[in-house]
Each structure stands twice: as structure tokens, then as C-alpha cells.
């Protein structure tokens, strides 16, 4: 398949609400893919099958270690470029994308090829004195007679950025046959692509090269929505600096009654160690990390982190250390997503809906986080009759000895072998589930009850926070402690409105189409219009809101005018 060339997209979005995100969704565009083993058409499911997250991560990190990221000219001659690189070893996969210029991700079959490439890679000759001589796998292709030649393979130019305006998305979804199809299309259009996922692992691997200067045995792994199966293009890249390989405390075999141990500096607490490691690595990323800009060290947060933007990929990155519970939550979410395809579709759609409605935001604040929202969807799926997914306690009961995991006194054990999990035969459609989700949370007793996915049952609230969602592993914690009453009221109001909207806006029959407009928003597309719900008590007053039908009427009017 070496000759197969396809135009694929690497969508990455900036931050902001969904409307903005959707308009920017094509910020990055893969110019083409030409691979020894074709990438195109390969879905995540086909690629990863039912592997555990642990296995997927190991494989992806290995690919990343054999890969380089090369900034090249948009008119780079692809054939010569590949020929040039192939002199250093077999290329397994490669693709181009646009982000602050054209970039290529090239995966070699062997690590030695990267070393061989380094041997001929030079330090830039311009402003030599001002360069930090840190060598990484982020390279620049200089004009070695490869540029400004017609692209001999495909004549493909680096594409300019294209955008999908919200109206277009609504139109696309409105043209679907059913609400189930709308949900599937939305997910397919905005979930992380194969290439985006590869790039995320490559960025982790580049970062690891910096941290390895101090901790050669460390790994940096992505967690959160980059790998839990619910990531939307443009989501941040959460990274975990894993030093477990180093801190194994087993005593090595005694020989002649003797053993050796390292002398190490002591700190007051584990948190202090994490802070000092992140201080130093954050400083190195800031001072030495090619392409890393806007580095902020946020060390006093509950979970200390280093935040920065990685320019060549366009990712907003959060680097944490000693955050193994978050890694476990990621594994749990991933497992739920693998159990039944409806889980991923529903979580993904609810996340998109919440962003479009301004219920969630990329900026931290008193609103519901994507993590909390995901747990709410999982809880709802556990409450179906029969349940679609098992409870965390049931998953723990199925665990084998190798699954045992206790982190800082918290039992994080659950089964890793998917085949041990027996699902019940629930046949509800995505449409039914989405509508029921809105109904469920429109009437949920938030005042009294806590959401608990360990038990799959609501429990009496142990504290007064407006929204209480028990942390599945650190069970005394509330993952939605940040949410205030205003935001919770808004969530409930938008659920009520959405529940009403989907009932009102069924797919129009061709004859009844809205005055002949084939693209009248209905079903899911009507839910992505920004909500007018402002019926939240602000200073004791309820603000008026325009009925949804009027909003739809207005939108249709504008579409009609545009068509004319
Ligand atoms: P987006 O970044 O919004 O797309 O979603 P995300 O799932 O990546 O969420 P976020 O970046 O906020 O957090 C990353 C991961 O950290 C989550 O997926 C969880 O595994 C974990 N996490 C986030 N918030 C909490 C919390 O309050 N408690 C715990 N235990 N883990 C959390
Ligand atoms: Mg995240």
C-alpha cells in the first residue's frame, strides 16, 4: 500500500465554546498520508480492538519513540523527502499536517534510524551563539533542493485552513436519516483521529526526552480525554510523568549478605517532591524545550502541574506527576467506552451538547467539568433497566490478582480482562438514551442525592455542595465540588429545554419539510443551537427566555435567506 495517498484531516480545535471550536475545527489539515501500511479508513475500534488502555499506551509510546516530527516547506517534494529519510531506515508510517506551517510525522521501523538521522542533523548556523544546544526529535527540513519542485507524487499543495461553520454542521446533521445517525456522525466528525492520537503520543515522547535528562527510566503518558475514548479534537493534552519505574522499592537479591541502595535527598512530603520535580522540569521545558511556549508552573493546585502550549502540534499541555489515581480514572472511563459502543457515542454527544450550551468550558470555574459530565452519563447508563454498564463495585469483584491496585490507601482495583464482563441485553437506541438522559437529569433529586458509580445508585449526600458526584476511587471526595448552584440550575434548565426540544423537533417528513427547506434543524442539530435558557435565578430574578421554537424559526429564516 506504499503508493496509497489520501487526504486526511488532523482536526485540532482552539479553546472556547463549541461554536467557536466548530468554526475552527479544521485548523490543522493533514496534507496527505502515504504509508507503507495505510492509515486511512482505519477506525479506532479496528486499530485497537479490545486491548486494555495499558496495552494501547505501551504500543503507542513505542511508535512515538521511533518517530520524528519535522517542520518542512509546504512545497516539499514528498517523494524526495521520503527517499532522503529512507536512507536512514525503513519508514513504517508518515503523514503531513498543517500547524504553524507544514509538519511531517515520520515513524521509522527501528529506533536506530532516528539515531542515524541525528548523525547527519546539524545545529542551525544562523545566530549560533543564541541557540540552546538541546537536541530533540523536533527537526527542520532545510532546502536541500527538495523545495520549490512540483510535487511529483500527487501535486498536493499544503492546504489552507478550512472551517466548518456551525450552520454547516447543523445542516449536515439535519440531512441525516435518524437521530442515531446524527449522533454517530457528530462523533465521527469530532472524535480524535488516528493521526491526532499519534501526535499526542509523540509530544509525550518528546517531553520525556527532556525529563529523561534527570530520570532516564521515566515515561510520560497521556491521560484524560486524549486516551479515554471521549476526546474531542482540540482537547487538551494531559500528561503524567511516571517515575514508578525508578521508585520500585523492592530489595534486590542479597549477595554475601550485602545489598546496595541509592542515597537520595529527602523532602517533607510526597507533594513537596512532586512540586520540586515539576519546578525543575517546568524550567527545562521553558528554557530548553523546542516549540514549548507560555510555560506556567501551577504548583500550589490540588494536583500540581506545568501548563504550556506545544506550538508544532498546537496542543495545550498539562504535565503532572504523581497522579496515578487520574490515570486509573482514565483507564476506567476507557474500559466503559469499550464495553458498548453506545457509551462512547452518548458521552461524546453529551460533551458536545454541553459545550454548545455553555454548560462546560475549557476555563476552570464553577461549572461542570467534562470529567463530571462523563461520570453523570455513566451513572445514567448504570440506571437503565436493564443496566447498560456494570457498576465499579461489580468491576472490582471481577478483578484478578494482577488487577489489584491500591493508590495512597484508595482501592482502585477493577477487572482489566474485558472478556470476564457479562453485559445485560439492553437494546435501547441512541435516540432513546439521549432523550432519557435529559429526562433523567431534569428531575434528579440533586438537593438530596449524590451520584455514585461505584454502587450504580444514588446515595444520600454527605455534604452540602449543590452537585455531589462521588469520586469513584477517592470515595470521600466530590469530583464536582467546584460547581455552584447557578451552574447546576442552568444544567437542569438546559436538560429540560433539550428534552422538550427533541420531542418537538422530530425529523420533518419530506412533504412537511419546513417550507421546503431540506436542512431544517431537527433532533440533535436543534440541540446544538446555543440555548436561550437564562431562567436561572440571578439576584433573585428569573430572566425571560425566548421559546426554543422561536429560535428555530429565526435560524430557519436566516438559512432560507442565505439560500435565496
Ligand atoms: P477535557 O480535557 O475537558 O476534554 O476532558 P478530560 O477528561 O481530559 O478532563 P481534564 O483535562 O479536566 O482531566 C483529565 C483527567 O483527570 C480526567 O479524565 C480524570 O481522569 C482526571 N480528573 C479530572 N478531574 C478530576 C477530579 O476532580 N478528580 C479525579 N479523581 N480525577 C479527575
Ligand atoms: Mg483533558
Amino acid at each position: 500500500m506504499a503508493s496509497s495517498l489520501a487526504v486526511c484531516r488532523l482536526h485540532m480545535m482552539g479553546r472556547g465554546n463549541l461554536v467557536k471550536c466548530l468554526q475552527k475545527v479544521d485548523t490543522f489539515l493533514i496534507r496527505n498520508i502515504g504509508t507503507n501500511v495505510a492509515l486511512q479508513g482505519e477506525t479506532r475500534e479496528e486499530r485497537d480492538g479490545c486491548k486494555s488502555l495499558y496495552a494501547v499506551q505501551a504500543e503507542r509510546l513505542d511508535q512515538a519513540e521511533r518517530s520524528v516530527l519535522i517542520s518542512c516547506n509546504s512545497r516539499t517534494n514528498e517523494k524526495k523527502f521520503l527517499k532522503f529519510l529512507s536512507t536512514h531506515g525503513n519508514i513504517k508510517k508518515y503523514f503531513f499536517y498543517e500547524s504553524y506551517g507544514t509538519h511531517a510525522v515520520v515513524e521509522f521501523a527501528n529506533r536506530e534510524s532516528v539515531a542515524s538521522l541525528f548523525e547527519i542533523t546539524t545545529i542551525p548556523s544562523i545566530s549560533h551563539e543564541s541557540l540552546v544546544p538541546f537536541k530533540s526529535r523536533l527537526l527542520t527540513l532545510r532546502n536541500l533542493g527538495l523545495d520549490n519542485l512540483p510535487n511529483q507524487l500527487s501535486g498536493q499543495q499544503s492546504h489552507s485552513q478550512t472551517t466548518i461553520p456551525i450552520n454547516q454542521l447543523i445542516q449536515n446533521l439535519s440531512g441525516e436519516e435518524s437521530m442515531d445517525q446524527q449522533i454517530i456522525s457528530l462523533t465521527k466528525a469530532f472524535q480524535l483521529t488516528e493521526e491526532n492520537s499519534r501526535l499526542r503520543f509523540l509530544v509525550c515522547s518528546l517531553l520525556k526526552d527532556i525529563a529523561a535528562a534527570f530520570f532516564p527510566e521515566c515515561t510520560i503518558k497521556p491521560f484524560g480525554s486524549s486516551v479515554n475514548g471521549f476526546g474531542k479534537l482540540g482537547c487538551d493534552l494531559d500528561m503524567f510523568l511516571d517515575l514508578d519505574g525508578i521508585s520500585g522499592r523492592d530489595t534486590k537479591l542479597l549477595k554475601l549478605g550485602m545489598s546496595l541502595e541509592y542515597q537520595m535527598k529527602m523532602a517533607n512530603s510526597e507533594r513537596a517532591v512532586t512540586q520540586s520535580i515539576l519546578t525543575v522540569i517546568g524550567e527545562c521545558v521553558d528554557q530548553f524545550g523546542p516549540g514549548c511556549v507560555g510555560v506556567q508552573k501551577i504548583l500550589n493546585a490540588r494536583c500540581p502541574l506545568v501548563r504550556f502550549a506545544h506550538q508544532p502540534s498546537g496542543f495545550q499541555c498539562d504535565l503532572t506527576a504523581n497522579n496515578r489515581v487520574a490515570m486509573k480514572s482514565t483507564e476506567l472511563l476507557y474500559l466503559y467506552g469499550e464495553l458498548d459502543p453506545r457509551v462512547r457515542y452518548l458521552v461524546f454527544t453529551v460533551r458536545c451538547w454541553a459545550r454548545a450550551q455553555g454548560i462546560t468550558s475549557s476555563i476552570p470555574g464553577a461549572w461542570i467539568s467534562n470529567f463530571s459530565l462523563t461520570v453523570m452519563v455513566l451513572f445514567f447508563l448504570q440506571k437503565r433497566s436493564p443496566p447498560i454498564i456494570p457498576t465499579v463495585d461489580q468491576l472490582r469483584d471481577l478483578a484478578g490478582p494482577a488487577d489489584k491496585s491500591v493508590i495512597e490507601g484508595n482501592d482502585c482495583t477493577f477487572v482489566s480482562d474485558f472478556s470476564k464482563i457479562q453485559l445485560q441485553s439492553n437494546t435501547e437506541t441512541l435516540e432513546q438514551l439521549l432523550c432519557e438522559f435529559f429526562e433523567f437529569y431534569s428531575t434528579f433529586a440533586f438537593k438530596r442525592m449524590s451520584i455514585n458509580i461505584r454502587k450504580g445508585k444514588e446515595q444520600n449526600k454527605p455534604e452540602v455542595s449543590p452537585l455531589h458526584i462521588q469520586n469513584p476511587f477517592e470515595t470521600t471526595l466530590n469530583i464536582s465540588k467546584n460547581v455552584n448552584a447557578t451552574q447546576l440550575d442552568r444544567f437542569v434548565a438546559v436538560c429540560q429545554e433539550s428534552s422538550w426540544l427533541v420531542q418537538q423537533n422530530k425529523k420533518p417528513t419530506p412533504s412537511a419539510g419546513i417550507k421546503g427547506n431540506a436542512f431544517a434543524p431537527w433532533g440533535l442539530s436543534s440541540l446544538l443551537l446555543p440555548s436561550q435558557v437564562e431562567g436561572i435565578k440571578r439576584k433573585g430574578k428569573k430572566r425571560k427566555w425566548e421559546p426554543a421554537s422561536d429560535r428555530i424559526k429565526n435560524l430557519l429564516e436566516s438559512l432560507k435567506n442565505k439560500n435565496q
Side-chain angles (χ1 to χ4, degrees), residues 350-413:
V350 169
R351 280 182 173 221
C352 288
W353 161 82
R355 178 57 75 88
Q357 299 299 337
I359 291 168
T360 54
S361 163
S362 58
I363 309 158
W367 29 83
I368 300 175
S369 69
N370 268 330
F371 181 56
S372 296
L373 196 62
T374 305
V375 175
M376 290 171 91
V377 178
L378 297 178
F379 181 71
F380 160 75
L381 293 173
Q382 291 173 336
K383 295 279 293 179
R384 301 311 297 153
S385 180
I388 293 183
I389 50 170
T391 66
V392 178
D393 276 351
Q394 287 165 340
L395 294 176
R396 182 206 50 208
D397 294 344
L398 292 170
D403 297 324
K404 183 137 190 77
S405 168
V406 178
I407 301 170
E408 290 157 21
N410 301 298
D411 186 5
C412 303
T413 306

Side-chain angles (χ1 to χ4, degrees), residues 223-226 235-238:
F223 70 99
S225 57
S226 294
C235 66
D236 65 357
L237 172 55
D238 302 295

Side-chain angles (χ1 to χ4, degrees), residues 462-513:
E463 52 165 72
V464 290
S465 307
L467 176 60
H468 192 279
I469 305 176
Q470 192 201 53
N471 185 321
F473 297 126
E474 294 161 297
T475 51
T476 54
L477 301 181
N478 170 13
I479 62 167
S480 52
K481 206 177 169 65
N482 61 310
V483 178
N484 65 20
T486 310
Q487 291 303 323
L488 179 62
D489 287 352
R490 186 171 153 67
F491 171 76
V492 173
V494 178
C495 279
Q496 286 165 353
E497 188 199 40
S498 297
S499 171
W500 181 83
L501 265 176
V502 277
Q503 282 168 36
Q504 296 301 309
N505 298 294
K506 300 275 182 202
K507 184 174 168 59
T509 55
S511 55

Side-chain angles (χ1 to χ4, degrees), residues 499-545:
S499 171
W500 181 83
L501 265 176
V502 277
Q503 282 168 36
Q504 296 301 309
N505 298 294
K506 300 275 182 202
K507 184 174 168 59
T509 55
S511 55
I514 307 221
K515 306 228 166 85
N517 189 333
F519 297 117
W522 64 275
L524 179 59
S525 48
S526 64
L527 299 181
L528 296 177
L529 296 166
S531 168
Q532 299 297 305
V533 168
E534 289 179 7
I536 316 149
K537 285 173 203 154
R538 287 195 192 158
K539 293 184 185 154
K541 282 186 192 164
K542 272 204 169 193
R543 285 173 61 173
K544 272 209 245 162
W545 55 282

Side-chain angles (χ1 to χ4, degrees), residues 214-228:
F214 304 97
F215 307 109
E217 296 142 88
C218 74
T219 47
I220 293 190
K221 295 175 181 159
F223 70 99
S225 57
S226 294
V227 285
N228 65 16

Side-chain angles (χ1 to χ4, degrees), residues 14 66 75 107 115-116 151 183 218 234 241 261 263 272 311-312 319 362 413 416 464 487 494 516 540:
R66 290 182 274 106
R75 300 187 63 197
E107 181 199 336
S116 164
N151 194 320
I183 291 172
C218 74
L241 170 65
E261 57 187 31
Q263 287 199 15
Q311 255 182 353
L319 176 66
S362 58
T413 306
S416 61
V464 290
Q487 291 303 323
V494 178

